[in-house]
């Protein structure tokens, strides 16, 4: 193994670790878009391996998938063709005009600072047609108020890919000063390679804080809830409507760009 990011450097391994054979995230997103009659042009910001972008394309949408990882984009073009895949940074982008922007699996939370979040939302507003939608799914910062069940103790995972057994131990900690959820993951494999430690972090956004950011950037919040969604337990099922609470560990938002 290398010292890079094991999963983003090996997209096929990423899909093996996080299978989505039912395309749950893509179906949930398409359900949101249809519920609010979104137009056909969609930007999937932080598209990763392209699974969700390809599902939206198959649903009849004109999809652009954007990511900062060229390795992911190359994989997406080969494995999940259909969308137009482009390199972009969610901290600030100019990729043309869209009827909807989707940002799944906590990609939005890689905006660690207020300036980065402001830049992302300003880019979204500029890219969206009047009345266009922003659909996002992420961890919920409010979940960690008084809860420690996901924190400080390593969580183990194991799976096999291409005949190699991979194991990971993941520890989450809260950096209260920076308002970040920090992740340390130690990978090991039975191929004789040494263990690799990798670190990343997400912004801890609270529901009302997110609502305030969206409103300040000219969005009307249509939905803000903790489930059901593609990463909730139990997961979203076709036809289920959004809930009304924001207490659980995932947060889902649908916001409409105002016309003024």
């Amino acid at each position: 193994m290398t010292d890079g990011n094991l999963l983003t450097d090996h997209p096929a391994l990423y899909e093996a670790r996080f299978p989505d054979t039912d395309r749950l995230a893509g179906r949930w997103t398409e359900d949101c878009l249809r519920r609010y009659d979104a137009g056909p042009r969609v930007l999937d910001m932080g598209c990763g391996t392209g699974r969700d972008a390809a599902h939206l394309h198959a649903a009849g949408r004109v999809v652009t998938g954007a990511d900062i990882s060229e390795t992911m984009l190359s994989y997406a073009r080969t494995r999940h063709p259909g969308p137009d895949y482009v390199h972009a940074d969610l901290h600030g982008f100019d990729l043309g005009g869209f009827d909807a922007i989707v940002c799944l699996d906590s990609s939005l939370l890689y905006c660690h600072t207020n300036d980065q979040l402001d830049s992302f939302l300003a880019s979204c507003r500029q890219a969206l047609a009047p009345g266009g939608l922003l659909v996002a799914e992420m961890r919920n910062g409010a979940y960690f108020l008084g809860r420690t069940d996901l924190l400080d103790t390593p969580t183990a995972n194991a799976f096999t890919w291409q005949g190699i057994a991979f194991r990971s131990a993941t520890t989450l900690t809260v950096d209260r000063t920076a308002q970040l959820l920090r992740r340390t993951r130690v990978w090991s494999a039975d191929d004789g390679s040494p263990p690799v430690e990798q670190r990343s972090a997400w912004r801890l956004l609270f529901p009302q804080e997110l609502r305030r950011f969206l409103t300040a950037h000219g969005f009307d919040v249509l939905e803000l809830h903790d489930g059901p969604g593609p990463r909730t337990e139990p997961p979203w099922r076709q036809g289920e409507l959004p809930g009304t609470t924001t207490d659980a560990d995932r947060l889902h938002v649908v916001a409409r760009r105002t016309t003024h």
Side-chain angles (χ1 to χ4, degrees):
M1 292 187 290
T2 67
D3 290 331
N5 187 306
L6 183 66
L7 293 181
T8 57
D9 289 348
H10 301 86
L13 178 64
Y14 179 96
E15 291 195 337
R17 171 62 183 88
F18 299 108
D20 186 15
T21 54
D22 293 333
R23 296 294 182 264
L24 191 58
R27 290 193 294 112
W28 174 83
T29 303
E30 176 62 20
D31 186 76
C32 290
L33 298 178
R34 288 185 180 181
R35 190 160 61 250
Y36 292 102
D37 296 319
R41 302 170 300 164
V42 176
L43 171 63
D44 182 359
M45 198 69 210
C47 67
T49 66
R51 291 183 298 191
D52 302 324
H55 178 85
L56 296 174
H57 170 81
R61 301 193 181 274
V62 181
V63 182
T64 298
D67 204 277
I68 201 170
S69 168
E70 290 287 0
T71 303
M72 283 287 196
L73 291 169
S74 178
Y75 178 88
R77 294 184 187 108
T78 301
R79 183 68 179 82
H80 301 291
D84 180 25
Y85 292 105
V86 299
H87 182 270
D89 187 342
L90 62 82
H91 294 156
F93 55 90
D94 183 3
L95 299 173
F98 300 93
D99 301 304
I101 296 174
V102 302
C103 195
L104 305 176
D105 201 24
S106 296
S107 293
L108 184 150
L109 302 183
Y110 289 111
C111 295
H112 289 175
T113 68
N114 290 348
D115 286 346
Q116 289 173 347
L117 188 56
D118 281 331
S119 181
F120 169 75
L121 292 174
S123 297
C124 288
R125 179 171 175 82
Q126 181 181 19
L128 284 170
L133 294 182
L134 173 61
V135 178
E137 182 271 335
M138 69 202 82
R139 288 181 176 272
N140 181 11
Y143 182 81
F144 297 95
L145 294 173
R147 293 187 180 98
T148 60
D149 55 296
L150 299 181
L151 299 176
D152 303 325
T153 301
T155 300
N157 179 268
F159 66 103
T160 300
W161 179 66
Q162 293 186 346
I164 300 173
F166 289 87
R167 294 173 300 279
S168 65
T170 303
T171 306
L172 300 175
T173 58
V174 171
D175 181 339
R176 293 178 178 82
T177 300
Q179 203 170 313
L180 294 177
L181 181 66
R182 298 194 180 275
R183 179 180 67 188
T184 301
R185 178 174 284 159
V186 179
W187 287 99
S188 58
D190 65 358
D191 61 354
S193 59
V196 174
E197 181 179 285
Q198 298 173 342
R199 297 176 181 270
S200 57
W202 298 280
R203 172 70 179 263
L204 284 174
L205 275 177
F206 302 102
Q208 295 307 317
E209 180 186 18
L210 178 58
R211 184 186 294 274
R212 180 68 180 88
F213 269 102
L214 287 163
T215 301
H217 282 275
F219 287 89
D220 289 331
V221 178
L222 306 176
E223 296 178 12
L224 185 62
H225 62 92
D226 57 13
R231 297 285 297 274
T232 62
E233 187 56 48
W236 172 83
R237 294 179 297 178
Q238 194 72 42
E240 281 190 299
L241 294 176
T244 58
T245 60
T246 56
D247 183 66
D249 64 327
R250 305 300 292 189
L251 193 63
H252 312 82
V253 62
V254 181
R256 191 187 302 280
R257 182 198 187 278
T258 57
T259 57
H260 54 272

